[in-house]
Amino acid sequence: MMTQDRRERIRTPRAGRHRGDEAAGTFVAGFEALGGIAYAGAQVSANVVDLRNGQSLISVDDRIVLPTASVGKLLLLIEVSARMTAKDAAGFGIVDKSPSDRISGAGLWQHMQAPVLPVIDLAALVGAVSDNLATNALLRQVGLDSVRARAESLGLSKTALLDFVRATRGPDDAPHLSVGSTSELTWLVTALCRGQIVDHVTSQRVLDWMSNNADLSMVAAGFGLDPLDHRTADHGIRLINKTGSDRGVRSEVGLLNGPRAGIAYALTVQFADTSLATRLSVHDAMRVFGLDLLEYVA
């Protein structure tokens, strides 16, 4: 049962003030939209940080741990990129389609004839279409334990990739593909933006993979960008993001730069996915939240 205090925290805007009164009401519509789905029973976590000064612009239950679906694949991309920077053989191998990796759902490799692909191409597929088969193949290549150790070495205590992608999760499997807090996720993409995850080369490689992401169905739905072509600035707006979708989970983390500002943002919603109307209300709230972010940077 959601307390009145928590409801008020969700509904009360906490806008950045570095531009004075101009920014005071920027996030009202987004807070109202997120508050609406929270009243309906969804669990909402959000965090937004100004990239220029590190100021927290939005903080809604941003330290709680929620399932983040495919957002956790970002940690896999970081590990793969770090292996490549270190000239580790695992970062340059040719990986085959193993029957044990096969999984339906998101991705293109399952529909392609190529029986093997280089690690760098598999990472590109994960960044662009969150490819499940490529994810499992890369996890087999570098090891899930290595991904977890990398996350811990970065100081992440609430954000983790827990498992391979599975069609069903039994009692012996991790309950979710990944979990995370939005405060840690915004820190992570901010550090990538600053070249601080391992080093500049490693960070930039991960951002390049993310920049091809074709999923603009959530927060990024409010940005008006071409889902298949937004690697360069469009009307002064540049986006790099990673999304995650599962039944009852919608999550997105990203970097949004515009003519007036740049921000790191993360939003996760966990909800009872009992009807299409409920799901659409979540997507609509995320889009409205995105419109507020666009207004801030543009």
Side-chain angles (χ1 to χ4, degrees):
M1 190 79 176
M2 187 175 292
T3 66
Q4 183 66 32
D5 179 63
R6 183 177 168 206
R7 291 190 184 110
E8 291 303 317
R9 291 205 312 274
I10 291 174
R11 292 184 64 87
T12 304
R14 296 171 60 184
R17 303 285 182 155
H18 73 282
R19 290 205 307 266
D21 293 338
E22 179 186 359
T26 298
F27 305 112
V28 173
F31 270 93
E32 289 181 349
L34 295 179
I37 60 174
Y39 277 127
Q43 195 161 14
V44 177
S45 176
N47 185 264
V48 181
V49 175
D50 191 300
L51 290 172
R52 292 179 299 184
N53 54 26
Q55 182 178 6
S56 176
L57 303 174
I58 294 176
S59 176
V60 177
D61 284 347
D62 61 345
R63 298 185 183 278
I64 64 172
V65 178
L66 292 176
T68 52
S70 290
V71 165
K73 295 174 184 178
L74 176 56
L75 299 174
L76 171 61
L77 294 179
I78 290 171
E79 176 62 15
V80 171
S81 184
R83 296 288 189 97
M84 296 177 69
T85 301
K87 303 293 191 282
D88 187 294
F92 295 91
I94 303 296
V95 184
D96 67 315
K97 283 182 180 177
S98 169
S100 62
D101 298 330
R102 292 189 181 276
I103 183 74
S104 59
L108 291 174
W109 197 21
Q110 60 183 312
H111 306 297
M112 296 164 58
Q113 294 300 310
V116 298
L117 284 174
V119 165
I120 193 169
D121 287 348
L122 295 178
L125 284 172
V126 174
V129 294
S130 202
D131 197 292
N132 287 338
L133 176 56
T135 295
N136 284 349
L138 286 175
L139 281 172
R140 176 164 51 86
Q141 179 77 355
V142 301
L144 181 59
D145 288 342
S146 295
V147 176
R148 291 173 175 169
R150 179 73 61 180
E152 291 173 2
S153 74
L154 296 173
L156 300 174
S157 61
K158 300 180 178 180
T159 301
L161 182 62
L162 300 177
D163 200 3
F164 288 76
V165 184
R166 300 181 188 275
T168 59
R169 298 198 168 273
D172 296 329
D173 300 322
H176 305 287
L177 175 63
S178 75
V179 294
S181 73
T182 53
S183 62
E184 286 193 345
L185 287 170
T186 53
W187 173 86
L188 184 62
V189 294
T190 299
L192 283 169
C193 181
R194 294 173 177 168
Q196 297 171 341
I197 299 300
V198 182
D199 58 21
H200 178 77
V201 172
T202 300
S203 297
Q204 188 57 53
R205 190 183 292 117
V206 174
L207 293 175
D208 285 345
W209 289 330
M210 293 173 64
S211 68
N212 285 314
N213 183 30
D215 183 9
L216 306 188
S217 65
M218 300 181 218
V219 177
F223 302 156
L225 299 174
D226 184 339
L228 302 179
D229 183 15
H230 57 271
R231 280 177 60 89
T232 56
D234 187 351
H235 291 295
I237 302 300
R238 179 134 192 261
L239 169 70
I240 296 174
N241 73 328
K242 182 75 189 79
T243 55
S245 295
D246 202 351
R247 187 166 186 84
V249 176
R250 293 295 185 273
S251 185
E252 181 170 339
V253 61
L255 297 163
L256 181 67
N257 285 279
R260 294 200 301 182
I263 57 172
Y265 69 89
L267 174 61
T268 299
V269 182
Q270 186 175 24
F271 59 101
D273 196 356
T274 55
S275 69
L276 180 59
T278 300
R279 184 186 298 174
L280 290 174
S281 70
V282 170
H283 276 262
D284 187 55
M286 297 181 83
R287 181 188 61 81
V288 173
F289 181 77
L291 286 171
D292 277 358
L293 301 186
L294 180 65
E295 181 183 353
Y296 184 82
V297 305

